Amino acid sequence: MWQKMIGDTRLVLTEGDITRAGTEAIVNAANSRLAGGGGVDGAIHAAGGPEIMAECRRIGGCPTGQAVITTGGQLPAAKVIHTVGPVYRGRPDDARLLAACYTNSLELAARHHLKSVAFPSISTGAYGYPLDQAARVALTAVRDWLRDHPGLLQEVRFVLFGRAALETYQEAADQLV
Ligand code: AR6
């Protein structure tokens, strides 16, 4: 585990399964139809139960870079924030859209008075974003948002899947945060 205070907010990097995170909200790496799928999306719907998908159907969809919020169903987290990462294409827009996923998710959490949020490493599975590049974009976006919005969140956590992902994020954090 790695942690550092950014103003009043604790930034934590940890390895594990995000469906077990004890934060008030967890973030899902969804697709734009909010249709469910594999990876972290599949794990969240499997662990949280059908209430989450029922709300996703009512919402109907979410553009890349944006975020929507549903119940956490049976998850320990009260809420799931669904954000849609970019499919990696190696263009400048990739980083802009990936950063928007993080800032729009944090905005939504703050608007709902949620005090703690856990993120997976968005876009770095099925959507093919190179992990080291994604780590830099994610940590820069979260760091900048927390500096600009002091006092709103108690904890922002990254729950990384596997030792290698945690180490990649830790190396980026040591340079950036
Ligand atoms: N907890 C934390 N991280 C996880 C977990 C978990 N339980 N499971 C996987 N990861 P991905 P994407 C990591 O593919 O690239 C879905 O089908 C994984 O190792 O889940 O944004 C959606 O429906 C990787 O580092 O999301 C979309 O269609 C990271 O989560 C599409 O995949 C993201 O991998 C989204 O692709």
Side-chain angles (χ1 to χ4, degrees), residues 93-136:
D93 234 22
D94 297 339
R96 184 184 64 78
L97 289 167
L98 186 60
C101 287
Y102 289 94
T103 53
N104 286 320
S105 295
L106 291 168
E107 289 288 340
L108 201 48
R111 214 178 308 140
H112 286 259
H113 308 290
L114 299 165
K115 294 291 177 201
S116 55
V117 185
F119 284 99
S121 179
I122 296 161
S123 282
T124 59
Y127 283 179
Y129 213 117
L131 194 63
D132 57 336
Q133 290 181 41
R136 287 200 293 275

Side-chain angles (χ1 to χ4, degrees), residues 16-19 29-31 35-43 85 120-128 131 159-161 165:
D17 174 359
I18 201 168
T19 65
N31 54 64
V40 75
D41 197 0
S121 179
I122 296 161
S123 282
T124 59
Y127 283 179
L131 194 63
V159 180
L160 288 326
F161 211 50

Side-chain angles (χ1 to χ4, degrees), residues 17-30:
D17 174 359
I18 201 168
T19 65
R20 301 164 75 105
T23 46
E24 290 184 359
I26 65 172
V27 177
N28 182 19

Side-chain angles (χ1 to χ4, degrees), residues 1-6 8-14 21-25 106 109 114-119 142 145-146 152-159:
M1 194 174 88
W2 178 105
Q3 57 181 321
K4 191 162 179 181
M5 295 302 293
I6 299 182
D8 305 328
T9 307
R10 184 185 311 277
L11 178 64
V12 180
L13 308 181
T14 182
T23 46
E24 290 184 359
L106 291 168
L114 299 165
K115 294 291 177 201
S116 55
V117 185
F119 284 99
V142 169
W145 191 92
L146 291 175
L152 293 179
L153 295 176
Q154 283 164 5
E155 183 176 312
V156 176
R157 177 175 286 258
F158 282 87
V159 180

